[in-house]
Amino acid sequence: MQKRIPVIIDCDPGHDDAIALIMACCAKNLEVLAVTTVCGNQTVDKTTLNALKILSFLGMKNIPVARGSEKPLVRPLVVASDVHGASGLGGVLLPDPQIRLQKENAVELIRRILVQAKDPVTMVCTAPLTNMAIFLAAFPELKVKIREICLMGGGLDHGNRTAAAEFNIYVDPEAADIVFSSGIPIVMCGLDMTEKALMYMDEIEKFSQQPGKITALAVDIFRFYADYYRQEGFNGIALHDPAVIAYLMRPDLFTTEEMYIQVETQGKLTTGMTFVDRRICPDKPAPNVKVCTKVDRTAFVNLVEECCLSYENGTLI
C-alpha cells in the first residue's frame, strides 16, 4: 500500500481553499496533520472561523487548527472582499464549528509537528506566505523536516491583483521572497495553469444534481464564485487552490517545468511579481521552483467532483 504523504495546510478560506480542504481530507494518499490559517482572502479571525466551520462540517474533528498571522510582515493587509465576500465565504452558510482552536499559534503548531514527525512533511500553502516566512526565520534548523512546499501563487507572465502580481504573493511579497529563497523544494501552481483549471457552468449545474451535503456545499461555493468570474469574462470558475491538492493526489495530470524564480519586492509597478529568469547563459542560477504549466482540465474537474461525492459514499479517492 502506498505510504500517505503527511501534509500541513496553511490557508485563508476562501471559497477555493474550502474546496481544497474537502479534497485533502478525502485523499487516501494524503495525511492532513494540521490546518493553519493566515490573513489573506479575509482577516485572520474570519479565515480561522471558516476553517473551523469547514472541518467541522466534514467531520474532521481530529485535525488541529491553529491561528496564524493577522498581518503581512511589513505591509498593510489587503483582503479580497470583492472575490470572497465580507465573511470570506460569501453565499455559504455553515453551522457553528464543533472544533476548538489550538492554544498554540500556527508557527508553534508547525514547529511541534515537524519536531515530532518521523518523515519529512509537505507544506501546502494556498494563501499569502506570512506564516511560512515567520516559521523559517524562527526555526531555520527545521527546514530539513520539510519535504517540499506546494503552493498556489504567482504567475509566469501576468497577475490578477495587479497586472504583474497574483494576489497571494502581492499581499506579502517579502514573505514570498523568503520562501522562494529558502532552498526548500517548491512546487508552484500559478495563474498560468490555474486559470485553465476551469469548471464550466454546465458542469456545475450537472454536478448540482448529485446527492450529499458536501456536494451541496461545493455547489454553493461554485455558484457564488461563478458570479465573480462571470464579471471577469470567464465561462466558469478557476479552481486555483484545489489544483495544489490535485497535484499531490494526481501529479500525472500536470505538466511541469523547472525554473528559476525570484519575487519582486521593490518595484513601482511590479511588486509581488514572480519573476522568471528565462535567459540562456552559462551563469544562469539553477532552477529553484517546479512550475505546473498545464493540467488535464477534464480529469481535474472529475477529480474535484469525485472528492466531493466521496463523503456521500464513504470512499477515499
Side-chain angles (χ1 to χ4, degrees):
M1 183 177 178
Q2 183 183 9
K3 194 170 184 178
R4 299 170 77 190
I5 302 169
V7 301
I8 298 173
I9 302 176
D10 191 52
C11 57
D12 60 343
H15 295 79
D16 50 341
D17 302 79
I19 300 299
L21 288 172
I22 290 172
M23 295 177 68
C25 288
C26 78
K28 64 183 177 183
N29 70 328
L30 302 181
E31 181 184 6
V32 182
L33 303 179
V35 170
T36 56
T37 61
V38 69
C39 59
N41 286 328
Q42 260 299 343
T43 63
V44 73
D45 288 340
K46 293 179 180 180
T47 63
T48 302
L49 178 60
N50 290 341
L52 292 168
K53 285 183 174 181
I54 293 161
L55 291 175
S56 294
F57 197 70
L58 296 177
M60 301 297 167
K61 298 180 180 180
N62 294 325
I63 297 176
V65 180
R67 181 183 185 275
S69 182
E70 64 183 19
K71 60 182 180 180
L73 294 182
V74 298
R75 298 173 186 265
L77 174 61
V78 176
V79 299
S81 300
D82 55 326
V83 182
H84 297 282
S87 71
L89 278 178
V92 178
L93 296 177
L94 287 171
D96 290 338
Q98 303 301 310
I99 300 173
R100 289 186 177 182
L101 191 64
Q102 295 288 300
K103 293 181 179 179
E104 300 162 292
N105 65 34
V107 170
E108 291 168 342
L109 179 59
I110 293 170
R111 175 189 176 279
R112 175 166 63 85
I113 289 174
L114 292 186
V115 167
Q116 295 174 351
K118 295 180 180 179
D119 299 312
V121 174
T122 293
M123 292 298 307
V124 177
C125 300
T126 61
L129 293 164
T130 313
N131 287 342
M132 278 307 305
I134 294 172
F135 172 81
L136 292 173
F139 306 109
E141 72 279 5
L142 290 177
K143 287 199 305 183
V144 296
K145 300 298 290 288
I146 299 176
R147 176 175 176 261
E148 64 184 359
I149 298 172
C150 294
L151 63 89
M152 190 282 134
L156 299 181
D157 58 16
H158 71 286
N160 57 4
R161 179 52 55 166
T162 70
E166 180 274 331
F167 177 80
N168 284 343
I169 308 299
Y170 177 82
V171 169
D172 199 342
E174 285 77 18
D177 183 39
I178 290 171
V179 172
F180 276 72
S181 303
S182 67
I184 299 170
I186 293 173
V187 177
M188 176 177 127
C189 294
L191 293 176
D192 312 85
M193 183 273 292
T194 63
E195 287 183 343
K196 298 181 180 70
L198 290 169
M199 188 175 194
Y200 296 128
M201 294 307 302
D202 61 329
E203 293 171 326
I204 294 172
E205 293 312 310
K206 183 178 180 181
F207 184 57
S208 69
Q209 300 170 22
Q210 297 290 340
K213 71 172 189 176
I214 306 303
T215 297
L217 169 63
V219 171
D220 285 345
I221 289 170
F222 296 151
R223 284 175 171 164
F224 181 88
Y225 216 25
D227 289 339
Y228 170 79
Y229 277 101
R230 192 177 295 112
Q231 297 171 22
E232 295 292 307
F234 287 82
N235 179 32
I237 58 175
L239 296 172
H240 302 289
D241 296 342
V244 184
I245 302 300
Y247 171 81
L248 289 170
M249 294 178 71
R250 291 282 308 277
D252 58 297
L253 301 183
F254 296 82
T255 301
T256 63
E257 184 178 344
E258 301 281 345
M259 301 182 187
Y260 179 68
I261 295 179
Q262 296 172 287
V263 178
E264 176 59 74
T265 62
Q266 303 287 328
K268 179 179 178 181
L269 300 177
T270 56
T271 294
M273 180 181 183
T274 43
F275 185 81
V276 185
D277 190 340
R278 298 183 184 275
R279 293 176 297 167
I280 302 175
C281 59
D283 58 348
K284 177 180 174 180
N288 61 339
V289 181
K290 179 188 288 187
V291 180
C292 294
T293 57
K294 296 179 182 177
V295 62
D296 182 332
R297 190 204 70 83
T298 301
F300 168 68
V301 170
N302 289 340
L303 180 61
V304 173
E305 294 181 350
E306 289 169 10
C307 287
C308 296
L309 290 169
S310 71
Y311 292 89
E312 178 74 8
N313 57 35
T315 61
L316 296 177
I317 300 299

